[in-house]
């Protein structure tokens, strides 16, 4: 860790010198005491460094008919442990299915219900640094913890009115979550570390890491506050009104900013049709903007490469793909990839996705990542 600390300023100086020599290339400047990395609209990796992220499909788990263990109803999330075991959330089935590195079914964790180890609507999953499985049950208003072997460990109750979306656990065992509060015109987002006492969530406002306010959501595709936990408990967050990513240390102090030029994508007719259906079904006055935000989601791999799911679409061989921008750990826009999904886990040069087949059923896919 200390070596990395010493190397970081040297790397910044070298990158700065290199970037200043090439007009239009990524450049790093110090602004308000922190490095700001400026990127062009197209990838410009550092010469001699990888510039392509090639994906080779090597595994698909899921069938439309056959063994029930391999049939999924709705997958909102998945995670992968250090051994390559895949933990797949089946929200409607109210359980977690576990598969080994070869895709073989191992076990089912949890079942439908309200008791210990039981779930109603599991929505997110996180393999913690403490080697536990944390599952958010959005209908039981709790966090369920299991061992990697599937044994139920404990359940933590979330008070009514406190919304958890995609909580993470840092290396110290703190649970970090975003809390949203609303006033007449603004939405306030606070990243907070939680302490836990007995079986209830004990919240202390002294543990607020970061606070950010923005106008209340007006349109279906308005910008929303987005964040992820990185290595060394650093935090990356963004409000995609513009293409900026902010990195904080564990105490909430800014340590880097990444900026990228971009051209706003136009809202697709598919989204407009989807909004129209919701209006008709629920009778809600929902609007959709003609232009999309800068990006939709942020993912971070195990070496702090940053994958940004944009609203841009690409069509290849008649198929629609999502465009994902890939930044190296220094924030340099190195390449872009094309995926069929918005759910991504990337560990040990393996990329895991949840995709829908042309027949309409969900599968988990694993790709081998080759850097060139």
């Amino acid at each position: 860790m200390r070596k990395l600390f010493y190397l970081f300023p040297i790397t910044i100086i070298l990158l700065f010198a290199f970037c200043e020599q090439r007009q239009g290339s990524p450049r790093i400047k110090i602004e308000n005491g922190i490095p700001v990395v400026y990127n062009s609209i197209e990838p410009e990796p550092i010469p001699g460094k990888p510039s392509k992220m090639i994906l080779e499909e090597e595994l698909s788990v899921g069938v439309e008919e056959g063994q029930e263990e391999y049939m999924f109803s709705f997958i909102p999330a998945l995670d992968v442990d250090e051994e390559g075991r895949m933990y797949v959330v089946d929200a409607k089935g109210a359980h977690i299915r576990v598969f080994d590195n070869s895709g073989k079914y191992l076990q089912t964790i949890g079942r439908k219900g309200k008791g210990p180890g039981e779930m109603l609507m599991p929505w997110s999953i996180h393999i913690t640094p403490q080697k536990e499985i944390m599952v958010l049950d959005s209908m039981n208003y709790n966090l369920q913890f299991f061992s990697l072997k599937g044994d139920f460990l404990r359940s933590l109750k979330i008070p009514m009115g406190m919304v958890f979306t995609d909580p993470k656990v840092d290396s110290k065992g703190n649970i970090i979550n975003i809390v949203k509060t609303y006033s007449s015109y603004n939405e306030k987002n606070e990243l907070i570390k939680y302490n836990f006492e007995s079986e209830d969530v004990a919240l202390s406002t002294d543990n607020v890491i970061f606070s950010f306010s923005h106008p209340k959501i007006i349109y279906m595709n308005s910008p929303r506050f987005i964040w992820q936990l990185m290595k060394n408990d650093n935090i990356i967050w963004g409000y995609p009104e513009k293409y900026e990513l902010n990195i904080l240390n564990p105490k909430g102090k800014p340590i880097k900013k990444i900026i990228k030029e971009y051209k706003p994508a136009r809202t697709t007719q598919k989204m407009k049709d989807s909004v129209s259906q919701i209006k008709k079904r629920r009778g809600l006055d929902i609007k959709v903007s003609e232009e999309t935000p800068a990006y939709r989601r942020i993912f971070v791999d195990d070496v702090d490469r940053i994958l940004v799911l944009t609203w841009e679409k690409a069509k290849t061989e008649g198929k629609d793909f999502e465009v994902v921008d890939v930044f190296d750990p220094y924030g340099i826009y190195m390449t872009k990839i094309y995926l069929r999904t918005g759910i991504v886990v990337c560990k040990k040069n393996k990329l895991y996705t949840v995709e829908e087949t042309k027949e309409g059923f969900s599968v988990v896919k694993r790709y081998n990542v080759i850097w060139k």
Side-chain angles (χ1 to χ4, degrees), residues 157-325:
K157 185 178 180 181
I158 301 171
M160 293 291 290
M162 184 183 292
V163 179
F164 273 51
T165 52
D166 189 17
K168 305 293 183 185
V169 177
D170 67 15
S171 63
K172 304 289 193 302
N174 299 304
I175 297 178
I176 302 175
N177 184 59
I178 182 172
V179 172
K180 299 176 183 286
T181 55
Y182 301 91
S183 63
S184 299
Y185 302 101
N186 291 330
E187 174 184 310
K188 185 178 182 181
N189 299 269
E190 290 183 312
L191 275 175
I192 301 179
K193 291 181 182 178
Y194 293 88
N195 297 320
F196 294 91
E197 298 174 358
S198 66
E199 296 182 352
D200 295 324
V201 174
L203 171 62
S204 169
T205 54
D206 293 335
N207 291 333
V208 174
I209 304 170
F210 174 75
S211 179
F212 176 79
S213 295
H214 58 78
K216 288 179 70 172
I217 294 172
I218 301 174
Y219 298 103
M220 180 107 174
N221 57 342
S222 290
R224 289 164 171 79
F225 183 88
I226 302 168
W227 77 283
Q228 277 291 342
L229 190 64
M230 305 180 76
K231 284 180 63 179
N232 303 320
D233 296 338
N234 289 335
I235 292 163
I236 183 169
W237 72 273
Y239 179 66
E241 183 178 39
K242 46 191 174 181
Y243 206 130
E244 290 187 3
L245 305 170
N246 303 274
I247 300 178
L248 314 175
N249 70 13
K251 295 183 178 180
K253 181 180 178 180
I255 56 177
K256 185 189 298 183
K257 178 180 287 189
I258 301 166
I259 296 176
K260 178 185 171 294
E261 296 177 16
Y262 84 104
K263 181 180 179 181
R266 304 292 295 178
T267 300
T268 62
Q269 189 60 46
K270 184 178 180 180
M271 172 172 275
K272 293 179 180 179
D273 293 342
S274 175
V275 171
S276 297
Q277 292 175 9
I278 295 173
K279 281 184 177 181
K280 185 176 180 180
R281 187 167 60 248
R282 301 183 183 178
L284 301 175
D285 185 19
I286 304 174
K287 300 177 182 179
V288 59
S289 173
E290 288 298 323
E291 289 188 349
T292 65
Y295 51 87
R296 293 164 57 188
R297 298 184 69 181
I298 303 170
F299 304 97
V300 181
D301 72 5
D302 50 356
V303 295
D304 273 355
R305 294 188 192 97
I306 303 164
L307 290 79
V308 179
L309 175 66
T310 72
W311 287 89
E312 185 183 350
K313 306 290 182 181
K315 188 178 285 288
T316 303
E317 298 179 353
K319 297 179 181 179
D320 292 325
F321 288 86
E322 310 282 354
V323 178
V324 178
D325 294 335

Side-chain angles (χ1 to χ4, degrees), residues 36-257:
V36 180
V37 186
Y38 288 89
N39 292 280
S40 300
I41 196 166
E42 293 297 330
E44 287 199 73
I46 300 170
K49 299 293 183 181
S51 60
K52 290 184 180 180
M53 181 180 180
I54 300 171
L55 304 179
E56 295 182 343
E57 182 178 330
E58 61 181 18
L59 182 66
S60 180
V61 180
V63 295
E64 184 177 15
E65 296 179 349
Q67 292 180 268
E68 290 187 3
E69 293 88 352
Y70 295 89
M71 297 172 61
F72 303 109
S73 54
F74 173 60
I75 306 174
L78 77 140
D79 207 350
V80 181
D81 67 16
E82 291 297 314
E83 304 301 321
R85 288 183 289 261
M86 296 164 281
Y87 300 78
V88 184
V89 178
D90 193 314
K92 292 184 179 179
H95 54 238
I96 313 299
R97 293 207 201 135
V98 187
F99 302 86
D100 70 10
N101 189 47
S102 67
K104 179 183 177 182
Y105 168 78
L106 296 177
Q107 64 174 323
T108 296
I109 299 174
R111 60 180 181 272
K112 204 174 191 70
K114 297 183 178 182
E118 297 178 339
M119 314 171 198
L120 288 179
M121 183 64 74
W123 195 252
S124 75
I125 186 170
H126 176 50
I127 308 299
T128 74
Q130 294 74 29
K131 301 189 184 303
E132 295 180 347
I133 306 166
M134 181 178 72
V135 181
L136 169 65
D137 186 345
S138 60
M139 288 188 67
N140 268 333
Y141 295 100
N142 64 26
L143 297 171
Q144 303 267 2
F145 288 81
F146 301 86
S147 72
L148 294 183
K149 294 181 178 180
D151 299 320
F152 172 72
L153 300 175
R154 63 192 180 282
S155 176
L156 298 173
K157 185 178 180 181
I158 301 171
M160 293 291 290
M162 184 183 292
V163 179
F164 273 51
T165 52
D166 189 17
K168 305 293 183 185
V169 177
D170 67 15
S171 63
K172 304 289 193 302
N174 299 304
I175 297 178
I176 302 175
N177 184 59
I178 182 172
V179 172
K180 299 176 183 286
T181 55
Y182 301 91
S183 63
S184 299
Y185 302 101
N186 291 330
E187 174 184 310
K188 185 178 182 181
N189 299 269
E190 290 183 312
L191 275 175
I192 301 179
K193 291 181 182 178
Y194 293 88
N195 297 320
F196 294 91
E197 298 174 358
S198 66
E199 296 182 352
D200 295 324
V201 174
L203 171 62
S204 169
T205 54
D206 293 335
N207 291 333
V208 174
I209 304 170
F210 174 75
S211 179
F212 176 79
S213 295
H214 58 78
K216 288 179 70 172
I217 294 172
I218 301 174
Y219 298 103
M220 180 107 174
N221 57 342
S222 290
R224 289 164 171 79
F225 183 88
I226 302 168
W227 77 283
Q228 277 291 342
L229 190 64
M230 305 180 76
K231 284 180 63 179
N232 303 320
D233 296 338
N234 289 335
I235 292 163
I236 183 169
W237 72 273
Y239 179 66
E241 183 178 39
K242 46 191 174 181
Y243 206 130
E244 290 187 3
L245 305 170
N246 303 274
I247 300 178
L248 314 175
N249 70 13
K251 295 183 178 180
K253 181 180 178 180
I255 56 177
K256 185 189 298 183
K257 178 180 287 189

